[in-house]
Amino acid sequence: MDTQTLIYLFVGLSFSLYIGIAIWTRAGSTKEFYIAGGGVHPIVNGMATAADWMSAASFISMAGIIAFSGYDGSVYLMGWTGGYVVLALLLAPYLRKFGQFTVPDFIGTRYYSKTARVVAVICLIFISFTYIAGQMRGVGIVFSRFLDVPITLGVIIGMGIVFFYAVLGGMKGVTYTQVAQYCVLIFAYMVPAFFISFLVTGNPIPQLGLGSTVNDGSGLYVLQKLDLVLQDMGFGAYTDGSKSMIDVFCITAALMVGTAGLPHVIVRFFTVPKASDARKSAGWALIFIALLYTTAPAIGAFARINFIETVDQTEYAEAPEWFKNWEANDLIAWTDKNGDGKMEYRAGDAFAGSPEFTGQTGKSGERLIANTINVESENEVYVDKDIMVLANPEIANLPGWVIALVAAGGLAAALSTAAGLLLVISSSISHDLLKQTFRPQITEKGELMAARLAATAAIVVAGYLGIYPPGWVAQVVAFAFGLAAASLFPAIFMGIFWKSMNKEGAIAGMVSGLVFTFSYIAYFKLVAPEANVAANWLFGISPEGIGVVGMVINFAIAIAVSRMTASPPVEVLKMIDSIRVPRGAGDAAVH
């Protein structure tokens, strides 16, 4: 059976499984639609949380970032895993004990204000749509390569699949679908990693293979070889970082705190029976996530080695099949700057931006690019960072079934997170805006219909953002974390641990943090991208890390405003005490 047939088979079987689960677990009430009935086992919820969390950015893009950024890519590993420790210790059990459906539910009730609830919904929508753009882009990239369709059509197909099982099944259907998707994506990620680690180092365990010697007789360790090869080609050493320490700290902190503030992750801890199960769920999720995250650095390093060895100084006429496959999807390109017919991979950009193909071919058979060629660099090769994990099995000449498995895994990763985000958006609109704010008299049936209509509208917007994303996948996702860190996290944290925080302070903090962070990101990424260099950044902090400054602004303004306004009502203070005191605890006594 050829590779393309295997891809259709694997992807088709996985989609059939997801849709079957959605039909089997169809939500029949708002409680099932919002929080899966509240009875999900901690291990099951941990696995679903891991799938919800390990998005297209984790599966598709993170190893690609590490492959091309080296040491600098470690910020994603530290931030995205460390965030679960913060979440497990500081937020998850308290929010579960609170016992509501959504994050705006907590904020609206804790801050006794419909305005606070609406502001939380606005923050949530900003975060979720920024995040979901990356997921839909990832879906489009996978479909475009493996199903041989344009990226735009790939995004539309992904929209249709998510629409079916998210709108039909709600959180109940999505939870069990995500368990299946976790099994698919982790198997798809680990199997090629075992193969490639063995081929490169002779050690089949990728985490150990990264610290082993290369199978080429040189006696060099993997990272030593990468350092030497890249320096010879004009790049910096793989193990050296180019980011300033303050930027590394801020990006890591923004990702970590943003993780704890992401609404689609937090809502997963509302689905377990009790508060202690929320903490257990976070622990299990961290274990399931660590399987992939500890493997990503090895995959990134092996991918960079294999990419260089199969591309650099290779005659374009004899280019490997994988190169031509991805070139046909406009995600890799070559221009013959020196006219020798060979592909030369060096430091610097080959073109001014991503390649724009003219539809014509040059004298060496290459596809001609409409972009301005960057004559200041000897580099002749452009490669989209998001393709490295997907292309890795092809680069390493692994069997067709492994390539098909990776295709199914990439789609599972992107679709699982997209579904979770869509549910968060739909529930915030139907429950927090309609039921709790503007139409409290709405029936449960009407609320459920509104949730499904909101999810449908959200899918359309998400698809548009996937077709026209504001950056490559992991970069877009990093912005969502910054927005979460600057807006929702401080309000939730102070809502639990700062009894004096009132509605005026929380609202002022959320608005200021969100406006500052979004404006900073929008300026450097949309308004003036040419100015996006370290010399122009505030305190030397990049847009990916600016969420930390937004968070500090949020805390400072919230505390200042709360001190100048009335204290929270007595009943709110009692509610906070009930959230923080373990069930069954007696009164304090003097010994």
Side-chain angles (χ1 to χ4, degrees):
M1 193 178 294
D2 65 19
T3 300
Q4 193 60 48
T5 303
L6 286 169
I7 290 171
Y8 286 130
L9 178 64
F10 277 49
V11 171
L13 287 174
S14 64
F15 281 1
S16 298
L17 175 63
Y18 307 151
I19 292 171
I21 291 173
I23 295 172
W24 173 56
T25 57
R26 179 172 181 171
S29 67
T30 52
K31 188 174 183 180
E32 288 183 340
F33 192 91
Y34 293 145
I35 58 171
V40 180
H41 190 278
I43 296 179
V44 173
N45 193 53
M47 197 174 291
T49 303
D52 203 356
W53 169 248
M54 291 192 294
S55 60
S58 295
F59 189 98
I60 297 174
S61 196
M62 185 172 62
I65 294 174
I66 295 171
F68 289 94
S69 303
Y71 176 83
D72 286 339
S74 64
V75 296
Y76 294 94
L77 296 172
M78 294 186 292
W80 283 342
T81 50
Y84 266 85
V85 179
V86 176
L87 187 60
L89 294 177
L90 297 182
L91 300 186
Y94 303 105
L95 290 173
R96 176 60 191 90
K97 192 175 179 185
F98 178 69
Q100 294 292 339
F101 284 165
T102 67
V103 172
D105 241 357
F106 171 80
I107 290 175
T109 305
R110 162 60 181 87
Y111 295 114
Y112 49 96
S113 167
K114 289 184 177 181
T115 303
R117 185 187 296 270
V118 172
V119 171
V121 170
I122 293 170
C123 292
L124 180 149
I125 289 173
F126 265 93
I127 294 163
S128 299
F129 274 127
T130 304
Y131 202 149
I132 207 170
Q135 311 316 309
M136 300 311 294
R137 179 68 174 177
V139 170
I141 289 173
V142 178
F143 271 123
S144 70
R145 163 62 190 92
F146 293 114
L147 299 186
D148 197 25
V149 297
I151 289 181
T152 299
L153 181 57
V155 170
I156 293 171
I157 295 172
M159 288 165 59
I161 298 294
V162 174
F163 169 82
F164 189 88
Y165 72 79
V167 173
L168 179 68
M171 181 60 79
K172 184 179 179 183
V174 165
T175 294
Y176 295 102
T177 302
Q178 285 175 336
V179 171
Q181 287 168 330
Y182 175 78
C183 295
V184 171
L185 76 86
I186 200 66
F187 192 63
Y189 202 83
M190 298 303 296
V191 168
F194 292 144
F195 272 110
I196 295 170
S197 180
F198 183 76
L199 290 173
V200 175
T201 68
N203 190 327
I205 302 174
Q207 291 87 340
L208 299 179
L210 183 61
S212 303
T213 55
V214 184
N215 270 343
D216 62 359
S218 65
L220 294 172
Y221 288 94
V222 171
L223 296 179
Q224 282 181 319
K225 178 171 181 177
L226 264 175
D227 279 348
L228 292 173
V229 170
L230 290 174
Q231 286 175 317
D232 287 344
M233 301 170 79
F235 295 93
Y238 190 77
T239 53
D240 287 344
S242 61
K243 294 182 182 295
S244 66
M245 189 54 65
I246 188 172
D247 199 29
V248 169
F249 173 82
C250 287
I251 294 174
T252 303
L255 295 175
M256 188 178 296
V257 178
T259 297
L262 281 179
H264 76 290
V265 173
I266 291 175
V267 76
R268 287 242 51 96
F269 300 103
F270 294 167
T271 66
V272 293
K274 53 186 185 291
S276 61
D277 291 334
R279 187 166 277 145
K280 291 176 185 175
S281 289
W284 280 110
L286 191 56
I287 292 171
F288 292 134
I289 290 165
L291 285 175
L292 187 147
Y293 272 56
T294 57
T295 306
I299 288 185
F302 299 151
R304 191 72 178 275
I305 288 174
N306 287 336
F307 177 79
I308 292 170
E309 290 182 346
T310 56
V311 170
D312 188 46
Q313 298 301 315
T314 300
E315 295 275 353
Y316 180 78
E318 300 172 4
E321 184 180 359
W322 72 265
F323 190 97
K324 297 295 179 68
N325 288 338
W326 287 100
E327 188 183 31
N329 294 106
D330 301 349
L331 295 170
I332 199 166
W334 170 69
T335 182
D336 195 4
K337 290 184 179 180
N338 56 15
D340 65 355
K342 292 182 179 180
M343 297 186 288
E344 291 193 17
Y345 178 56
R346 297 290 182 269
D349 296 325
F351 311 103
S354 301
E356 298 174 8
F357 294 94
T358 64
Q360 299 175 321
T361 56
K363 62 181 181 180
S364 299
E366 77 274 22
R367 300 175 69 201
L368 294 180
I369 311 298
N371 304 54
T372 302
I373 293 175
N374 182 11
V375 295
E376 296 179 1
S377 169
E378 295 179 3
N379 183 30
E380 298 179 345
V381 180
Y382 164 87
V383 57
D384 189 305
K385 297 178 179 67
D386 289 334
I387 75 169
M388 294 313 297
V389 169
L390 302 174
N392 223 2
E394 295 178 89
I395 298 173
N397 287 318
L398 297 185
W401 66 268
V402 178
I403 297 170
L405 184 63
V406 169
L411 288 169
L415 293 174
S416 62
T417 303
L421 288 163
L422 289 166
L423 281 178
V424 164
I425 294 168
S426 68
S427 61
S428 67
I429 292 172
S430 61
H431 181 71
D432 293 299
L433 290 185
L434 282 180
K435 178 69 175 177
Q436 300 291 344
T437 306
F438 298 118
R439 290 192 63 194
Q441 75 278 9
I442 192 171
T443 64
E444 180 171 346
K445 184 177 180 180
E447 186 182 351
L448 188 59
M449 177 59 69
R452 289 186 164 129
L453 290 174
T456 303
I459 288 171
V460 174
V461 177
Y464 177 83
L465 293 174
I467 295 169
Y468 303 104
W472 34 278
V473 176
Q475 192 180 54
V476 172
V477 169
F479 299 150
F481 284 80
L483 295 175
S487 59
L488 292 180
F489 175 80
I492 298 169
F493 180 83
M494 290 187 290
I496 296 169
F497 296 104
W498 194 307
K499 292 173 68 174
S500 300
M501 182 51 57
N502 60 15
K503 63 181 180 181
E504 291 85 0
I507 293 168
M510 283 190 290
V511 171
S512 57
L514 179 69
V515 170
F516 169 80
T517 306
F518 185 80
S519 299
Y520 190 91
I521 292 171
Y523 176 76
F524 284 114
K525 291 298 177 181
L526 300 176
V527 178
E530 69 282 354
N532 189 22
V533 293
N536 296 327
W537 295 339
L538 181 65
F539 307 126
I541 301 172
S542 65
E544 290 85 350
I546 201 63
V548 170
V549 178
M551 178 184 70
V552 172
I553 291 173
N554 186 330
F555 274 116
I557 290 180
I559 292 170
V561 171
S562 69
R563 290 186 181 279
M564 294 185 290
T565 47
S567 298
V570 174
E571 59 270 19
V572 171
L573 300 178
K574 290 181 179 178
M575 180 187 70
I576 299 168
D577 285 335
S578 71
I579 293 172
R580 288 163 48 178
V581 176
R583 184 175 281 113
D587 293 334
V590 178
H591 294 285

